[in-house]
Amino acid sequence: PDSRYATRAWYGLAWAQYHDGKLAEALAAADAYLAAHQAAAEEAALHYLRGNCLQRMERLDEALAAYRTVQE
């Protein structure tokens, strides 16, 4: 759905999954959100979340790339 509530729900879901230790699910939720909402205010925070997930999954090169996206 294209409502502001759906947008916030996807954002919250990604962070909730991360804090619950469900890294692959959090990464997938963040990727889905970013694919659908590329100009959203939460974009930088979700790239940061992607970096955290990838780092904890020991996918360090990908994590570094995600963190660099936040920096841009």
Side-chain angles (χ1 to χ4, degrees):
D2 288 332
S3 77
R4 63 185 172 135
Y5 301 112
T7 300
R8 297 293 299 166
W10 273 106
Y11 177 78
L13 176 64
W15 278 103
Q17 289 174 323
Y18 172 77
H19 288 293
D20 197 30
K22 298 177 180 175
L23 302 177
E25 292 89 341
L27 185 59
D31 286 343
Y33 180 97
L34 289 167
H37 306 95
Q38 291 182 356
E42 296 87 356
E43 183 177 1
L46 284 172
H47 282 293
Y48 176 74
L49 171 66
R50 287 188 81 254
N52 288 348
C53 289
L54 292 163
Q55 181 180 10
R56 289 180 59 189
M57 296 168 79
E58 298 184 11
R59 293 166 53 183
L60 301 180
D61 290 338
E62 293 173 85
L64 185 57
Y67 290 135
R68 286 188 175 138
T69 302
V70 174
Q71 198 175 31
E72 294 172 354

